[in-house]
Amino acid sequence: MTVPTADVSATALPTVVIGAGPIGLAAAAHLVERGIEPLVLEAGPRAASAVREWSHVRLFSTWSELVDPAAEKLLAPTGWTAPDGAAYPSGGDWAERCLQPLADALGSRVRYGARVTGVSRLGRDRVVDADRAAQPFTVHLALADGTEERITARAVIDASGTWTGPGPIGADGLPALGERAATERISYRVPDLDDPAVRSRYAGRRTAVIGSGASAFTALAYLAGLAEDVPGTHVVWILRRGISGSTFGGGTADQLPARGALGLAAKEAVDDGHADAVTGFRTTAVEGFGDQLVLVAEDGRRLDPVDEVIALTGFRPDTGVLSELRLNLDERLQAPVELAPLIDPNQHSCGTVYPHGAKELAHPEQDVYVVGMKSYGRAPTFLAMTGYEQVRSVAAALAGDREAAERVELTLPETGVCGGAGLFDDPDAAAGESGESGGGGCCTAPATTPAPVTAPAASRTLQIGAPSGCC
């Protein structure tokens, strides 16, 4: 165990970066460029542990948008060869061809098997004011061998992401009744159908996919492909709002073409009859029906039984490790209060998120920053490019270069995503989504034909029993 002493010079201490994912490693590269020593703490055994869990999913950003400039400078002397900037990597490609080499270039600055369990000020809990800002941070770790450690830091950058916090099925933000009991039939990840065990789980079966973002589009496309190969495979796509021109994203108008193609693939799955869309369905319960599950909506509708459920309803941050620090988080999004108005999905989409940095990410606790996906809280509009701009600005701020910290060095493409939470979650708003009142008029979307809607089985009495058995 490392025991800090009170007279340690803050300038001699490292800046701790929590998480060796894309944004955490980019933060370390920018700190090195600024002459600030980083220490990256990664809970997993390798870099980009979370990205590796969706290694089968292809990104909708190209390599040119996924390699941070400071990271590329750090990699250049190692003989690293940049991939084709116009190509689209999978998560596995990103981890193996860029993120692990970057971690290797950082060397001993990256520690694996080191899970951060808490961060505070040395000798000060969150209540104590006296001499608070003069104290270094103390970071508690649980190590892979079961031991604990405490280290000190001059600053803390939390880039741990939200992968471990997938949203539940319940439309009220809480697990639906029966959801926990049915976990063996519910997945919160895009399925890897190249894995024989996963493929057999969904082949020839009826699966409910819940969600309306890029992950849901991807799952729909994958399962539609499986349906073409295996008869009897079918998808029930559950949306909390109605079908509209914005449901499938920006299509050919999306400035990230691969992202637009995801929406078009989802539309094709519906048009080809591989998926039925159930709209305005806010799940409140999951009930057992023999070896299957029945989803029940707040309005009393009950879906026909399904064999499996894939819930892709977004992610949410876990700020528990920072609970002894003084953070200022928005009450809705759980994002920094200065950032929240810029990313609020009730108001923003389609490229209207303004690039931001240290100023918007700052908290009352000086020199602590939450960056990357976690900084967005529950907002779904994060891009890797945004995170790279964040850490460039944060590194400049920690180096005392305010001018560089406040400078904007990023232009975001049109997102093509006109839906989120809040107002966009109103199924009755779909008909009015051509202007500001509906919130969906910011995108040019492909023309769509309303997808088939599954009729509720309201007259059926179902036996309730114990069911058999994210980023």
Side-chain angles (χ1 to χ4, degrees):
M1 176 182 294
T2 302
V3 180
T5 58
D7 60 352
V8 173
S9 170
T11 58
L13 297 174
T15 289
V16 161
V17 179
I18 305 175
I23 309 306
L25 292 172
H30 280 278
L31 291 170
V32 169
E33 190 173 57
R34 287 283 181 173
I36 300 172
E37 190 64 16
L39 175 59
V40 182
L41 302 173
E42 168 58 43
R46 297 180 292 172
S49 293
V51 173
R52 294 176 191 276
E53 291 192 30
W54 48 270
S55 60
H56 59 291
V57 177
R58 191 161 300 281
L59 288 92
F60 51 65
S61 295
T62 62
W63 273 115
S64 64
E65 296 153 343
L66 295 170
V67 180
D68 176 79
E72 191 166 9
K73 291 179 184 177
L74 195 62
L75 284 165
T78 70
W80 178 77
T81 302
D84 178 4
Y88 295 93
S90 66
D93 295 333
W94 199 14
E96 288 297 330
R97 299 182 61 187
C98 177
L99 302 177
Q100 188 64 58
L102 177 55
D104 294 342
L106 288 163
S108 61
R109 297 181 177 105
V110 181
R111 288 185 59 184
Y112 302 109
R115 182 180 300 278
V116 175
T117 58
V119 183
S120 188
R121 289 284 186 175
L122 183 61
R124 308 288 191 275
D125 64 21
R126 67 183 296 167
V127 176
V128 179
D129 290 334
D131 202 29
R132 184 178 189 87
Q135 304 305 312
F137 293 95
T138 178
V139 182
H140 288 229
L141 309 177
L143 305 182
D145 62 5
T147 62
E148 295 180 309
E149 184 176 340
R150 184 177 67 176
I151 61 177
T152 49
R154 61 166 288 194
V156 174
I157 300 174
D158 184 351
S160 58
T162 59
W163 180 248
T164 58
I169 290 175
D172 54 10
L174 301 174
L177 298 179
E179 181 174 347
R180 293 186 179 94
T183 52
E184 288 198 6
R185 293 183 178 275
I186 301 172
S187 171
Y188 299 87
R189 307 289 189 239
V190 175
D192 180 3
L193 298 183
D194 289 331
D195 182 324
V198 175
R199 186 178 180 87
S200 65
R201 177 175 179 175
Y202 299 103
R205 311 190 82 189
R206 181 177 167 87
T207 300
V209 174
I210 306 174
S212 58
S215 294
F217 291 166
T218 302
L220 286 169
Y222 285 1
L223 291 171
L226 181 61
E228 294 179 352
D229 296 334
V230 182
T233 304
H234 195 74
V235 182
V236 181
W237 182 24
I238 300 174
L239 300 96
R240 294 171 181 168
R241 59 181 184 269
I243 295 286
S244 72
S246 65
T247 297
F248 299 98
T252 56
D254 196 319
Q255 290 185 20
L256 292 178
R259 180 174 47 198
L262 284 177
L264 295 178
K267 180 179 183 299
E268 184 177 354
V270 173
D271 291 345
D272 290 348
H274 297 311
D276 294 329
V278 180
T279 60
F281 194 95
R282 299 170 183 265
T283 308
T284 189
V286 180
E287 298 179 353
F289 183 71
D291 291 333
Q292 295 179 300
L293 300 176
V294 171
L295 302 181
V296 183
E298 292 176 353
D299 60 10
R301 282 183 293 164
R302 312 170 82 91
L303 292 186
D304 289 336
V306 297
D307 300 295
E308 300 287 342
V309 176
I310 299 175
L312 300 168
T313 57
F315 295 86
R316 52 189 58 179
D318 179 1
T319 57
V321 297
L322 305 179
S323 61
E324 289 304 316
L325 299 179
R326 297 175 178 180
L327 305 184
N328 197 4
L329 299 176
D330 179 73
E331 68 274 11
R332 293 171 300 164
L333 298 183
Q334 296 176 279
V337 292
E338 293 295 324
L339 174 60
L342 305 180
I343 62 174
D344 185 352
N346 291 286
Q347 305 294 331
H348 289 281
S349 60
C350 300
T352 65
V353 173
Y354 187 78
H356 53 274
K359 177 179 179 293
E360 292 81 9
L361 297 169
H363 292 282
E365 196 78 64
Q366 184 178 344
D367 293 337
V368 60
Y369 296 95
V370 179
V371 300
M373 181 75 79
K374 192 170 183 178
S375 72
Y376 270 46
R378 300 191 182 199
T381 49
F382 179 79
L383 292 172
M385 292 183 292
T386 308
Y388 295 156
E389 173 68 1
Q390 288 180 342
V391 296
R392 180 204 63 77
S393 174
V394 166
L398 292 174
D401 188 347
R402 300 305 306 180
E403 188 276 330
E406 295 175 5
R407 187 170 61 238
V408 174
E409 296 185 2
L410 174 66
T411 301
L412 291 174
E414 290 287 337
T415 67
V417 180
C418 290
L423 298 178
F424 298 112
D425 209 17
D426 181 358
D428 296 328
E433 279 191 335
S434 61
E436 294 181 358
S437 61
C442 57
C443 290
T444 301
T448 60
T449 302
V453 178
T454 300
S459 61
R460 181 180 300 155
T461 301
L462 299 179
Q463 178 181 357
I464 300 175
S468 175
C470 226
C471 359

